[in-house]
Structure formats: structure tokens, C-alpha cells
């Protein structure tokens, strides 16, 4: 059942003993909306805990510093920023059929919850939650404001991406009334890197090759390279963006060997070229600006096949080159 | 003479034939406030040109695409985002004594103009100009909105730094009404890098050394390195931030040899440590989080002297280490 702001606020006011579910591999938005809602409910005199299939990442420590889970039998299950029951992960799987309310912004939401508040145009679940809290009439405080700000900032790349809404800025302005330390939060979210991540970035930069009049950048990492260099697998997240950082590059490709001779391809567009169309040719898909596919064979062959798919989109005829 | 918003709006309405001066090595804020004001004045039926001692950088091309200087004898001189007459640069030097109005946000403004509208708490000159335009009652349009947005975005690191004001967010929300392409602008401003810049970043990453329990990062570039590697001097701008990107680093240092045996030191703090105090010991200065000094001698000696100045600020006693 689709619910609106008013129904959501009423539901939250009328119930108690909340388990708030966040998605696995938690990001700033699920963490921010999870803890933001938890503190709001506790402020309203209710019992509430935040649950996740993974440990809460240290970088969001400022959200749960001093947080203690409360002891109570759960009565009301709310999922935040969880588009699909599968994203609940192994520890929270059992709750999938009992979610009373889901607050989300993903157009792809699977409508698994009994009640769904979905704003698909919102930049973040925290942008939706801000409106819920305002509707509930509960006063924000510094910690709640920091949780919501972080969710919006991380999902918009600090107000940089196309998904940034007018409301995202308006909310950020309002949250700044609560003395939040945006410098510290943003430094932690966007600037600080682990040594392992720096190593991966350096490798990708050094491995970048330029094709098709330098309009296509491509970097590959093989199982052999990972073994020899000790690059950390988990530090490759979001690395595809690096493939389109050089000026003039229209399509960027990161190729990562998953199993021997099997390559996961991430493609990014920095132009009008629709990379989901290119990836579809190889049995993959995705969005206009970010897509992917999987190819098998030798690495040189995989590169050649990708380039032969990319070249026509750039109006380049490889046979005449 | 200090003027307020109302006086500034009246002055601009009462005069004509404007030369708008921007500062040398133009950034997004001086470009944005320069062209933003120019288009506003032209919209009000006046003649106006934007002037700069340097060529307008290509990356801001969307601001001046289709812009044509008009022919007229200048009657009114306005400087935007120019804190000091010296920043007018060689081509505009001659106007320094004839600036009728300066619109700025630098607390360090030298009060060289006949009238000064100064909001030292504003994140950008464009934040001040937005208020001037609102006071003038002139309707924004897409191009003016893109100019002002860019100035605010670039001076705040896309709403990331501590100087980001509540008003900066509120203005961004309002400017989004004019269908500005924030994705394209922000990609151009923050994500795209030249090959020369990438090369400099790669060098800095590879040259980074870690001292004092890895709490101090330090990278040096010598004249010899620049000669051998062909690193572009102009691509070192803003590179000091890279020294504090690794988690755990409290103080970052970039050392650049300017003349044989003479080193320019840029120091950054990612902690409570006041680097201006450390740099003051070496005859330099700056801000709490960003400071600099110049040291002479051999590179190893320069590093050692810097470390002996940094260690005590971290509570580390080098003699006992």
C-alpha cells in the first residue's frame, strides 16, 4: 500500500518498539535515515533500534557514537533506503515479510513492505525522512541533523550530481541551523582515503590506456595483478568514475577479472553516448551514463571487442582507421 | 566608503557604460560574478564588458560562449571578487585608482575602491552579487544563474568546505529554478582533469612519505624532478590538499623547490593542529588549517627542520624517539 507523508507520520506516532532495518553494505543514506529515524522516535518517547546485516562502518561513527541498542520485543518494523528485500542481507532476511513501513527514494522499489512511502525524485531517503519528521512536528537536533545531512550529501556526491534536487539544498540550509560540522563530515565522507584505496587508484591511473583518438579510456585489472600487487578487492567500489576524469574522454571502461578469463566490465559516459546501449550489445545493461556487462576470453580480445562496440557510437569506423 | 545592498543597487541602476574587472588567474567566482553582473547590466539596458589581465580560461567557456565585448568609452568601473589592487594584474593595473565600486567577500579587502560592498561571511562574491541582483529587482535567467551557481560552487568546493553558508544552499536552490545544468558544470569544475594535472597528482602520490607514526605526510618536488619528468608548473595549484587525504594523517606538507636550494612549503592540517603556528617558527604564516613558509638548504635538511617543528605539535618528542 502506498502511503503519503501524513499517513506515515501518523503511523509512526501511533506505534512503538521499532526495529529500523538498513540495507547491507550500508552507505551514508541508509545509515543516516536509519539513525536519524531512530533518534527521532526515541525523542518522541518510543523505543527504537537500528539493525544492519553488516557491521556499522567506522566512517559513520559520528552517527552512532554513544548509541546503545535498547532491549524490547520488536513490534514495528521499518525499512529505510531498502529498495528490495534481498538488500536486507543475511542477518535481516527473516524480517522481509514483516516490514510494516518502508521509506525510500528508489524508483526500482519492489513494494515488499505493507506500507510504502516512495518519493522517486528525491535525491536520498534522508530527503524523504526530513519531510516525515517535519510532518510529525518533532524538533531536529544536532545529531539528527548530521544524520540527515550525511545521507543527502553522500547520495548526491556533495550536491554535485544530477540527482541533486532543489529540496536537497533547501534542507541542507535548514539543517545548518543545528550547528552541524559540515567540514568534518564532508572531509570524512569525500576526502579521506585508506592506504589500500590510494593504492588501487594509483594502479588504475598507471594502467589507463587511451584509444579512439583519446576519446576512450580503458584500464584493466587481472587476477594475476591483484595477486602480485595485493590490491584490496573491496577498494574497487566506485572506481569506474576514474575512467572519465581525463578531459576529452567520452567513454571510460574499467575491466576487472572476476574468475580466470571472465571479465566484469564497468562503462561510464562523459558525453551524449548511451553506454547502456553499448553494453546491451554484450548482454549487459544499465543506465545511459553508467552501465556494465561481463565478457569471457583473453584480455586483449575483450578489449578489442569492447572497442569495436564503442567506436561506432563515436562515429569512428574501425575498418577505415 | 562602505556601501550596503540598497546603495549598491541604486548605484548600478543610476550609472552606465561599465567595465567589470576580474582578478588575475581568474577562478570560478571572479568569472561568475564578472559575467553574471555583465549580463544583468545588459539586461537592464546598459552597456557592460568583462575585463581580465589573463585570458578567460576555457573551462569557464559556458559563461562567455557567444559573449561579445561592446564598444563604448568606459564610465563606470566595478571590480568583483578583487580583494587587492595588485590582483588586477598587469593589463588592468591602470584602473586601480578609478574603481567606483567593489563587490567582494574577502575580509582582507584593501578598501581600494571608492565604494565597497563587503560581506566577509559570504562564501563567494557570487553570494553577495545574488543579493545585489535581487535588490535591483532584475529577473535571473539561465545564463546568469549558471554564472552565480558556478562562483558559489567553486569557492565552497561544491558546498563541501567550512565556508559554505546556509545562504549558499538557499541561493543554489533558487538558481535551480532556471534549469541550470549542475551536473555538467560540476563535472567540468571538479571532476575533469588535464593529462598534465593527472601526471602531477600521480607524481605527488608516488613521492609521498610518511613520518611521525604516519601522522605526517610529506612530498617534495625538486627543480631536477620537474626538468626530468616534464611536470607542468601551473598544475601544482591546490595540490597541497593531497597531502592530507590519507586517513590518520594530521599534518600534510608539500615542498616545492622554487630556485636552487630554496623551497616553498605548503602545510595543511587535518586535525586540531594549527599549522600557521608551525610555519610562523620558520618565518611564514597563513591560516589554522593552511599555511606556508620558505626554507633554504638541502632537501633532507629542510625536511628534518620541518619535522622537528611539526613533531612537538603532535606531542612527539624527537629526542626520545
Amino acid at each position: 500500500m502506498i502511503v503519503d507523508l501524513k499517513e506515515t507520520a501518523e503511523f509512526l506516532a501511533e506505534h512503538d518498539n521499532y526495529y529500523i532495518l538498513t540495507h547491507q553494505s550500508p552507505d551514508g543514506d541508509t545509515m543516516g535515515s536509519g539513525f536519524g529515524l531512530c533518534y527521532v522516535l526515541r525523542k518522541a518517547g518510543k523505543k527504537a533500534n537500528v539493525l544492519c546485516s553488516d557491521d556499522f562502518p567506522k566512517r559513520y561513527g559520528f552517527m552512532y557514537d554513544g548509541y546503545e541498542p535498547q532491549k524490547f520485543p520488536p513490534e514495528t518494523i521499518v525499512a529505510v533506503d531498502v529498495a528490495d528485500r534481498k538488500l536486507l542481507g543475511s542477518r535481516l532476511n527473516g524480517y522481509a515479510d514483516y516490514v510494516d513501513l518502508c521509506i525510500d527514494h528508489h524508483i526500482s522499489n519492489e513494494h515488499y513492505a505493507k506500507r510504502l512511502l516512495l518519493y522517486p525524485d528525491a535525491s536520498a531517503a534522508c530527503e524523504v525522512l526530513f519531510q516525515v519528521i517535519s510532518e510529525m512536528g518533532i524538533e531536529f537536533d544536532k545529531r539528527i541533523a548530521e544524520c540527515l545531512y550525511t545521507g543527502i550529501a553522500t547520495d548526491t556526491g556533495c550536491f554535485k550530481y544530477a540527482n541533486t534536487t532543489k529540496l536537497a539544498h533547501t534542507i541542507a540550509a535548514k539543517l545548518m541551523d543545528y550547528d552541524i560540522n559540515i567540514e568534518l563530515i564532508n572531509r570524512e565522507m569525500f576526502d579521506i582515503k585508506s592506504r589500500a584505496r590510494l593504492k588501487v587508484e594509483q594502479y588504475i591511473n598507471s594502467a589507463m590506456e587511451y584509444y579512439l583518438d583519446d576519446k576512450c579510456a580503458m584500464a584493466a585489472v587481472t587476477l594475476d595483478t591483484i595477486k602480485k600487487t595485493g590490491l584490496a578487492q573491496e577498494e574497487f567500489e566506485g572506481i569506474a568514475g576514474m575512467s572519465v576524469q581525463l578531459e576529452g574522454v567520452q567513454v571510460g571502461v574499467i575491466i576487472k577479472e572476476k574468475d580466470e578469463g571472465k571479465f566484469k566490465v564497468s562503462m561510464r559516459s562523459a558525453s551524449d553516448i548511451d553506454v547502456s546501449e553499448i553494453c546491451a550489445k554484450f548482454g549487459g545493461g544499465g543506465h545511459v551514463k553508467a552501465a556494465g556487462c561481463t565478457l569471457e576470453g583473453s584480455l586483449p580480445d575483450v578489449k578489442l571487442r569492447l572497442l569495436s562496440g564503442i567506436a561506432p557510437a563515436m562515429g569512428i569506423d574501425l575498418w577505415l582507421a
Side-chain angles (χ1 to χ4, degrees), chain A:
Chain A
M1 179 174 77
I2 295 286
V3 290
D4 63 16
L5 269 188
K6 195 163 165 282
E7 290 162 333
T8 303
E10 281 168 6
F11 176 87
L12 290 170
E14 284 162 10
H15 291 74
D16 200 353
N17 296 326
Y18 287 92
Y19 270 15
I20 302 166
L21 315 183
T22 58
H23 65 68
Q24 62 185 8
S25 305
D27 61 8
D29 194 28
T30 202
M31 290 287 294
S33 46
F35 281 98
L37 178 58
C38 178
Y39 298 135
V40 160
L41 291 171
R42 287 186 179 184
K43 223 176 156 177
K46 298 175 188 295
K47 289 201 172 74
N49 286 337
V50 183
L51 283 76
C52 188
S53 271
D54 296 300
D55 292 341
F56 299 132
K58 269 191 203 158
R59 58 201 298 258
Y60 306 116
F62 63 93
M63 292 185 185
Y64 60 84
D65 185 36
Y67 161 85
E68 292 287 345
Q70 299 173 328
K71 280 195 180 158
F72 57 86
E75 281 174 12
T76 321
I77 313 292
V78 182
V80 286
D81 197 42
V82 184
D84 187 330
R85 60 172 72 215
K86 285 186 209 119
L87 299 174
L88 289 172
S90 55
R91 280 197 225 164
L92 304 185
N93 247 339
Y95 295 108
D97 289 331
Y98 306 99
V99 178
D100 298 295
L101 170 68
C102 174
I103 297 174
D104 195 17
H105 70 120
H106 294 95
I107 183 114
S108 59
N109 190 292
E110 297 266 353
H111 294 239
Y112 59 90
K114 290 177 203 159
R115 293 163 198 81
L116 173 62
L117 175 67
L118 179 67
Y119 282 8
D121 292 330
S123 62
C126 281
E127 186 176 318
V128 188
L129 182 60
F130 177 92
Q131 298 171 76
V132 172
I133 300 170
S134 302
E135 180 73 30
M136 291 170 81
I138 292 175
E139 180 69 26
F140 293 88
D141 58 29
K142 183 176 175 177
R143 174 169 278 203
I144 295 167
E146 286 187 339
C147 288
L148 298 191
Y149 176 87
T150 303
I152 294 171
T154 50
D155 261 24
T156 59
C158 210
F159 309 94
K160 201 165 73 176
Y161 304 144
N163 70 335
T164 309
T165 57
K166 205 176 134 77
L167 188 56
H169 277 297
T170 306
I171 292 173
K174 286 191 185 161
L175 295 176
M176 285 180 78
D177 279 338
Y178 297 91
D179 195 30
I180 59 179
N181 194 334
I182 68 158
E183 185 188 26
L184 217 71
I185 292 173
N186 289 330
R187 183 171 149 73
E188 188 71 38
M189 295 301 116
F190 301 106
D191 290 344
I192 296 186
K193 296 170 180 177
S194 68
R195 204 172 282 234
R197 173 70 179 202
L198 274 180
K199 207 169 154 186
V200 166
E201 291 189 2
Q202 271 176 277
Y203 173 78
I204 293 290
N205 268 328
S206 68
M208 202 69 79
E209 298 167 344
Y210 299 95
Y211 296 95
L212 305 173
D213 301 335
D214 292 351
K215 288 184 200 129
C216 177
M218 198 176 264
V221 55
T222 62
L223 289 174
D224 196 46
T225 303
I226 288 180
K227 205 169 139 190
K228 278 183 188 152
T229 57
L231 295 176
Q233 297 277 6
E234 67 276 16
E235 297 295 344
F236 279 86
E237 203 196 306
I239 213 80
M242 287 185 72
S243 65
V244 285
Q245 67 182 339
L246 183 69
E247 59 184 353
V249 168
Q250 297 182 350
V251 173
V253 184
I254 301 289
I255 303 168
K256 193 156 177 280
E257 191 173 19
K258 298 301 267 185
D259 301 302
E260 185 87 26
K262 195 169 178 180
F263 298 90
K264 190 172 167 276
V265 175
S266 301
M267 205 177 286
R268 294 290 178 273
S269 170
S271 61
D272 295 335
I273 294 172
D274 181 346
V275 288
S276 75
E277 272 184 25
I278 299 172
C279 288
K281 291 184 199 172
F282 301 107
H287 305 280
V288 176
K289 301 258 173 195
C293 58
T294 302
L295 288 177
E296 292 183 45
S298 76
L299 181 56
D301 279 0
V302 164
K303 287 183 184 177
L304 187 62
R305 285 163 67 196
L306 286 168
L307 289 167
S308 72
I310 294 165
M314 292 178 175
I316 296 172
D317 187 342
L318 281 183
W319 305 111
L320 296 174

